[in-house]
Amino acid sequence: MIKGTELFVKALKAEGVDTLFAYPGGQAVDLFDALYDEHEIEMILPRHEQALIHAADGYARSTGKVGVCLVTSGPGATNLVTGIATANYDSVPLVCFTGQVPLGLMGNDAFQEVDIVGITRNICKYAVTVRKREDLGRIIKEAFYIARTGRPGPVVVDLPKDIQVAMGDEEYPEEVNIRGYKPNESVHVGQVKKAVSLLKKAKKPLFLLGGGVNIACANEDMKKLVELTGVPVITTIMGKGAIPTSHPLYMGNIGIHGSYATNHAVSECDVLFSIGTRFNDRITGKISEFAKNAKIIHIDIDSASISKNIVVDVPIVADAKLAVQKILEYASPLKIDAWVDRLKDWKQTYPITMERYEGLTPEKIIRYIAENYKRPIVATDVGQNQLWTTQFLELEGNRQLLTSGGLGTMGYGFPAAIGAKLGNPDADVFAISGDGGMQMNIQEFATAVALEIPLTLIVLNNGYLGNVRQWQQMLFDRRYSCTCLTYRRSCQHNCMDPNKKCPKYSPDFVKLAESYDAYGMRITDEKDIPKAFEFARSHKNAPTLLEFIIEREANVAPMVPVGNSLDNMIMEI
């Protein structure tokens, strides 16, 4: 007979947990005490619970392991909510343990009591409160199984304090058998044959690859399929890296900030073979016009995602890797040279570039990373910084690009990069952020310094919440409402014309980094880009912040205005 806390530790070790992102509190202190002497599990103490779960998320995405969180009840638990939703949208396997008040106090508005299961039920894969000590081992085992199987996702396990200290059986289950949850582990051969038959008849076929290809580690098999058939490839933002971006058949990202070649390819293709994407509004544009000339094949592990937004002709519910391997058995080369040449011509004629801007641009900064680092891991924040990164970063494979694709969570990038560096200590890890998102979890400098993590943090500072400002420029006559980050009351809301009379920017990011015992450098000239990255490389025991001062009204282009079809693009803004 052992305490629940002891079984908890035993369970973590049995599940192979080597890194635990944790923040203590009254209703979890017994769990922390049980972990004190466990040297096989490294305890990571971020400075905020939201940053904690983003770090666990970055760890999970970059390693393929389950990210594990431990926090206390009440505000500790609710601070995880945004991170849970972020992971849920992007299919990231997390197990989040939350302390809870004793069972007898639940429902009585006890101190730091919230119904975290009720709060998170609709934004996670599964949420449960352990109400019997004899169920503890089984529930933890099920939590890890649910998180990592099928379409991966976050699971919340709520642990009342009296369950933690209760005595019970020491056995931890070795197998899982959950009635009603049986992830599909096969591929319907008949549907595969239908899909391949359509593909062979196509004159203008196109592969659309989403994040599911990367999650399933189907990259090598996908590359084989592309090279066997000769079918060109486009990706969603989450699918970038499904095949190397340098591959001659890779055309770029699709969507509202996709390239001319990719968006027009979707509009003109006659067979769209989609794997591992939900067809959300960021990639479809006007739904009635999306791939209107094409038969659509859709492979996804989640049956609920098929024909949810776009009605498809051949649905295949399966893991992307298993499905692609099965397709390889039936596929053959296609004679589509004219179609491929046309897409390549579009790609060359209408490249995504920021050449219209002089001096220091995000393109030059991001391309420097791609040209000078081998297989870097890059975590982005959300906004223009994210979009520029996904446009210009070259990727060799999966687990290199970490970004909040579905929820669009500002404050994600820096802590996700910390988690990625912990999981990949030998990799070059970068966080790319805007000056707005950077300030949402800037306290994590303390975490990175304490852990002696030498990651590089890039801040693209334009003095604005740039993505919203871009919309305000296009649609609201440059009425920059609440997007100017140099604004003072004395400005009297005159934020339409950025000029030298604008107030000084606050904070001074370099001084702020140095106040945490990190390193910082401000760059204003493109010739100093190499020097800046050498400055970052020289620091092996702490993070380095590189603040790049960019054009204030630089925009992300091309762009598809809301409500338009993908081929109705604004090429310059």
Side-chain angles (χ1 to χ4, degrees):
M1 301 290 282
I2 60 173
K3 283 186 177 182
T5 53
E6 294 174 282
L7 183 58
F8 172 80
V9 174
K10 183 175 183 178
L12 295 187
K13 293 167 70 174
E15 296 296 336
V17 176
D18 55 20
T19 307
L20 178 63
F21 298 86
Y23 204 103
Q27 304 304 333
V29 67
D30 293 277
L31 295 167
F32 280 82
D33 184 68
L35 287 158
Y36 184 78
D37 293 319
E38 284 300 330
H39 302 299
E40 295 178 30
I41 301 173
E42 184 176 16
M43 302 272 282
I44 305 300
L45 174 64
R47 297 316 192 248
H48 191 287
E49 288 97 350
Q50 185 186 108
L52 179 154
I53 190 170
H54 291 331
D57 178 303
Y59 173 89
R61 294 194 204 212
S62 64
T63 63
K65 301 177 182 178
V66 176
V68 186
C69 308
L70 172 61
V71 300
T72 193
S73 63
T78 57
N79 280 340
L80 295 185
V81 169
T82 297
I84 291 170
T86 299
N88 193 52
Y89 263 110
D90 293 345
S91 304
V92 181
L94 300 179
V95 175
C96 305
F97 294 101
T98 59
Q100 183 57 277
V101 301
L103 288 167
L105 293 179
M106 290 179 65
N108 292 331
D109 296 331
F111 177 67
Q112 291 194 332
E113 179 207 352
V114 298
D115 178 8
I116 193 62
V117 169
I119 290 170
T120 61
R121 183 176 287 117
N122 291 326
I123 55 168
C124 68
K125 195 172 178 184
Y126 180 58
V128 61
T129 298
V130 182
R131 296 182 178 274
K132 297 180 180 179
R133 170 60 181 83
E134 57 265 32
D135 294 337
L136 178 61
R138 174 183 59 80
I139 287 175
I140 295 176
K141 185 70 177 180
E142 291 176 350
F144 278 91
Y145 178 73
I146 292 170
R148 63 167 66 101
T149 56
R151 177 189 169 192
V155 174
V156 176
V157 180
D158 198 32
L159 300 172
K161 192 174 180 70
D162 47 348
I163 298 295
Q164 298 173 33
V165 299
M167 301 297 289
D169 198 305
E170 68 174 358
E171 292 301 316
Y172 184 65
E174 295 183 1
E175 298 180 354
V176 174
N177 185 14
I178 306 172
R179 188 175 63 181
Y181 180 74
K182 304 294 180 185
N184 183 31
E185 297 179 354
S186 62
V187 184
H188 194 289
V189 176
Q191 292 298 90
V192 167
K193 288 181 178 179
K194 286 182 183 178
V196 172
S197 177
L198 273 181
L199 195 62
K200 288 181 177 179
K201 296 175 185 176
K203 303 298 182 183
K204 300 178 181 179
L206 192 63
F207 281 123
L208 168 58
L209 308 181
V213 175
N214 289 329
I215 292 168
C217 296
N219 308 69
E220 287 301 318
D221 292 308
M222 193 68 231
K223 183 182 174 184
K224 290 178 184 177
L225 180 59
V226 169
E227 293 175 348
L228 172 64
T229 60
V231 174
V233 172
I234 63 175
T235 60
T236 67
I237 283 177
M238 302 304 293
K240 190 166 186 177
I243 68 169
T245 55
S246 60
H247 198 285
L249 287 171
Y250 178 68
M251 300 299 155
N253 289 339
I254 184 182
I256 66 169
H257 290 292
S259 70
Y260 182 96
T262 56
N263 284 359
H264 279 74
V266 170
S267 298
E268 293 202 18
C269 69
D270 57 6
V271 170
L272 182 64
F273 202 135
S274 174
I275 306 175
T277 179
R278 299 192 310 272
F279 289 116
N280 68 21
D281 57 300
R282 301 286 285 185
I283 71 165
T284 62
K286 187 176 181 180
I287 287 180
S288 62
E289 296 294 310
F290 180 79
K292 63 179 181 181
N293 300 315
K295 295 289 186 180
I296 300 177
I297 303 160
H298 189 188
I299 298 173
D300 202 284
I301 197 166
D302 183 4
S303 60
S305 293
I306 294 180
S307 290
K308 181 178 182 179
N309 297 320
I310 297 293
V311 177
V312 303
D313 298 282
V314 181
I316 302 174
V317 179
D319 172 82
K321 185 178 179 71
L322 294 177
V324 172
Q325 288 174 341
K326 183 59 66 174
I327 292 166
L328 277 166
E329 296 178 16
Y330 301 96
S332 59
L334 305 181
K335 296 179 179 180
I336 52 171
D337 291 350
W339 168 241
V340 173
D341 289 343
R342 188 177 185 187
L343 267 58
K344 287 182 177 180
D345 181 64
W346 282 342
K347 184 179 180 180
Q348 184 174 3
T349 306
Y350 304 103
I352 295 180
T353 179
M354 298 188 75
E355 289 181 357
R356 61 192 178 280
Y357 298 106
E358 296 181 357
L360 186 61
T361 65
E363 179 180 6
K364 293 170 183 174
I365 298 161
I366 295 163
R367 290 202 185 279
Y368 185 90
I369 296 174
E371 293 167 3
N372 292 275
Y373 294 85
K374 185 173 179 58
R375 288 191 63 89
I377 296 174
V378 179
T380 82
D381 219 272
V382 167
Q384 287 179 312
N385 64 88
Q386 176 191 41
L387 300 172
W388 283 319
T389 301
T390 55
Q391 286 181 334
F392 301 124
L393 185 67
E394 300 294 333
L395 300 175
E396 297 176 41
N398 68 342
R399 307 203 187 288
Q400 281 185 263
L401 178 63
L402 317 178
T403 193
S404 174
L407 193 63
T409 303
M410 291 178 70
Y412 172 83
F414 187 14
I418 291 174
K421 186 64 175 177
L422 288 168
N424 304 268
D426 296 327
D428 293 307
V429 177
F430 297 86
I432 298 179
S433 182
D435 50 312
M438 179 62 222
Q439 296 181 70
M440 289 196 170
N441 272 311
I442 201 165
Q443 76 285 337
E444 294 312 303
F445 266 118
T447 306
V449 168
L451 295 171
E452 301 178 337
I453 294 177
L455 62 85
T456 303
L457 176 57
I458 295 168
V459 177
L460 303 177
N461 190 343
N462 56 12
Y464 282 112
L465 299 175
N467 206 36
V468 180
R469 182 213 56 76
Q470 179 171 327
W471 283 94
Q472 291 172 333
Q473 175 183 337
M474 293 178 59
L475 303 175
F476 297 91
D477 196 27
R478 297 179 73 225
R479 289 160 58 87
Y480 295 157
S481 176
C482 287
T483 50
C484 180
L485 296 179
T486 62
Y487 171 77
R488 301 288 185 276
R489 281 186 172 181
S490 56
C491 296
Q492 298 179 339
H493 296 283
N494 184 21
C495 294
M496 292 177 62
D497 185 21
N499 55 60
K500 293 181 180 179
K501 295 181 181 180
C502 288
K504 182 180 178 181
Y505 188 91
S506 177
D508 183 321
F509 283 109
V510 172
K511 289 182 179 178
L512 189 54
E514 292 172 346
S515 76
Y516 279 101
D517 289 331
Y519 303 95
M521 180 178 179
R522 184 172 295 110
I523 303 95
T524 59
D525 194 312
E526 63 176 298
K527 68 177 176 37
D528 292 326
I529 292 175
K531 183 170 68 175
F533 282 96
E534 285 306 310
F535 176 74
R537 280 182 191 266
S538 69
H539 301 128
K540 308 297 184 183
N541 63 340
T544 300
L545 180 144
L546 302 178
E547 180 189 21
F548 292 91
I549 307 301
I550 64 172
E551 165 66 39
R552 292 208 69 188
E553 292 185 297
N555 291 320
V556 180
M559 183 173 180
V560 177
V562 173
N564 284 265
S565 61
L566 288 182
D567 55 358
N568 188 358
M569 306 173 68
I570 299 173
M571 297 304 293
E572 289 191 11
I573 303 170

